[in-house]
Amino acid sequence: MIIRTVLDCRPSDSKFYCSILLLVSSWVERVKPNFPLSIVITGTPPEALLRFFDSLGVSWEIAEADASLFFVPTGNTLLGGRAKDPSERIMLVDNDIYFLKDLRSLGEIRTDIFAGAPSGRPRISPKQWDLIKSELGLEPLSQSWIAPSRQLANLRNKTSYTEQMDQTYVNGGVLLLPQGEKFMEAWQANIIKIADYFRGTPLDSKSVTKSNMVGLATAIGEHGKFQWLSDGFNYRHPHILLNQLSFDEISIAHMTGTPRHDGPIQEERYVSDYVSLYWQHRVLKRLGEHENIYDRETFSAIGETTNLLAEAMHRSITAYELDAVMKDIRKTL
């Protein structure tokens, strides 16, 4: 199995560079002996970033953006899923993940199976799904799952009702792809087909005309061989607020979303501030605002898990001098 991510160096947002530095450092610490890391780069990468990759044994290549998916902001993600040879098994990941364990158990999943974790929330309406099936002949797998956002809403409203989703729809942060070219071909073709159908219609939305995920859901439906990844392989801030796992049970933390802050990140502490701001605003602030919905033990456990995640990342920042690397990167942005 090879781990691959796609880094777009065209935006000037330092979040992408902070993320990739954390990803690489955690890969070196915990995953490198078992699975190589390959980074596909679009745009012009800073020389300081490439020196960092080379110093740690990361494979990288420059690629042209996918012109056929120009209308999808994350369309270049698919560049990372294209195997170099038929025997290659790819785990396609977002830039904003952090490895906490060695992942050897993922390497035991059959190579013809697609594996992914549930999306944070439902994004395609029942009417849109009906048209995708009736008009386009495409459909996702039918499997019941519960979106973390709905579980959180129920927790805050103190209700026992939990809406079951019937259409398999995964989060794109960690995707274990099946071997072979057919799956990637279907994913790309379905993105284009669905966007062309909905564009400019009353049911047009970002999720059907500017996203690669509905095309992925229908490609999974065509492929048929699928299994859910457990939450620990794509652990996001809603999972922490739901207190689903302890720190020791998390294999991959996925830092979805951008940390909100009141001012610019200080030049001398780029990655450190990124990590601190992320966990403060994504979890700790929300935990404090909703303290009354948790019992004392759960409230303490959530805070502990968040702090342990932040501490692990700060140790990586120190060990690999990520703030200094980021300072050099920023000189060319």
Side-chain angles (χ1 to χ4, degrees):
M1 185 177 80
I2 184 169
I3 300 170
R4 188 169 291 143
T5 191
V6 179
L7 176 65
D8 191 342
C9 289
R10 294 171 298 174
S12 59
D13 190 343
S14 60
K15 172 207 167 177
F16 298 103
Y17 297 107
C18 290
S19 297
I20 200 70
L21 294 178
L22 284 167
L23 185 157
V24 169
S25 64
S26 68
W27 168 76
V28 173
E29 288 184 88
R30 303 178 183 96
V31 184
K32 183 179 180 180
N34 298 308
F35 303 116
L37 173 64
S38 171
I39 300 178
V40 180
I41 303 170
T42 57
T44 304
E47 288 297 325
L49 181 64
L50 298 183
R51 288 195 300 270
F52 179 75
F53 291 164
D54 291 340
S55 70
L56 295 176
V58 176
S59 172
W60 58 270
E61 61 178 289
I62 308 293
E64 292 292 326
D66 190 335
S68 70
L69 297 176
F70 71 93
F71 56 91
V72 181
T74 56
N76 288 322
T77 299
L78 277 71
L79 294 172
R82 292 168 184 151
K84 306 300 181 183
D85 65 72
S87 64
E88 190 175 69
R89 178 70 180 282
I90 297 170
M91 187 173 83
L92 186 61
V93 300
D94 283 350
N95 301 159
D96 55 355
I97 70 162
Y98 183 86
F99 299 111
L100 291 155
K101 292 188 177 178
D102 61 28
L103 308 183
R104 280 177 290 181
S105 61
L106 291 183
E108 299 171 0
I109 296 176
R110 276 187 8 221
T111 58
D112 62 337
I113 288 176
F114 179 100
S119 175
R121 61 185 177 87
R123 297 176 184 273
I124 308 299
S125 71
K127 181 61 175 177
Q128 287 171 324
W129 278 128
D130 288 344
L131 290 172
I132 289 169
K133 180 177 180 180
S134 64
E135 299 298 320
L136 301 179
L138 303 173
E139 60 182 311
L141 290 179
S142 178
Q143 293 192 14
S144 293
W145 59 284
I146 303 171
S149 62
R150 296 295 173 86
Q151 295 178 61
L152 269 178
N154 291 340
L155 182 65
R156 289 169 180 147
N157 295 329
K158 298 187 182 300
T159 65
S160 59
Y161 171 72
T162 304
E163 182 180 0
Q164 296 272 345
M165 302 293 106
D166 294 323
Q167 297 85 9
T168 299
Y169 195 88
V170 303
N171 176 273
V174 181
L175 306 174
L176 191 58
L177 305 176
Q179 282 182 335
E181 298 178 358
K182 187 176 180 181
F183 183 87
M184 293 306 300
E185 291 172 353
W187 186 1
Q188 180 170 0
N190 290 1
I191 293 170
I192 296 170
K193 190 174 184 179
I194 292 168
D196 286 347
Y197 176 79
F198 283 102
R199 190 177 292 113
T201 70
L203 288 176
D204 189 344
S205 70
K206 183 169 67 174
S207 294
V208 289
T209 59
K210 295 184 179 181
S211 171
N212 55 22
M213 301 312 296
V214 67
L216 176 61
T218 54
I220 293 169
E222 289 183 47
H223 182 69
K225 298 173 183 177
F226 171 82
Q227 76 176 58
W228 289 114
L229 286 178
S230 64
D231 292 332
F233 288 108
N234 190 339
Y235 208 67
R236 289 153 273 160
H237 56 84
H239 297 123
I240 298 175
L241 289 167
L242 289 165
N243 195 35
Q244 292 186 337
L245 297 175
S246 68
F247 173 78
D248 291 337
E249 296 173 304
I250 304 169
S251 297
I252 301 175
H254 183 188
M255 299 172 70
T256 55
T258 303
R260 298 182 179 89
H261 52 84
D262 298 326
I265 296 176
Q266 299 175 25
E267 290 188 6
E268 70 273 17
R269 295 189 63 227
Y270 288 111
V271 189
S272 298
D273 280 358
Y274 170 73
V275 169
S276 297
L277 290 165
Y278 183 88
W279 294 115
Q280 177 62 37
H281 287 273
R282 284 293 177 186
V283 178
L284 296 178
K285 183 178 179 180
R286 297 181 183 187
L287 181 61
E289 291 172 349
H290 302 286
E291 181 176 0
N292 62 312
I293 70 174
Y294 300 106
D295 59 51
R296 182 175 299 180
E297 182 178 354
T298 301
F299 184 85
S300 176
I302 292 171
E304 180 183 16
T305 298
T306 305
N307 289 329
L308 288 171
L309 284 167
E311 287 169 7
M313 294 177 184
H314 282 296
R315 285 195 296 271
S316 295
I317 292 167
T318 300
Y320 295 92
E321 300 181 333
L322 301 188
D323 283 339
V325 176
M326 189 63 202
K327 189 172 183 178
D328 287 341
I329 290 172
R330 283 299 299 267
K331 292 176 181 177
T332 59
L333 296 183

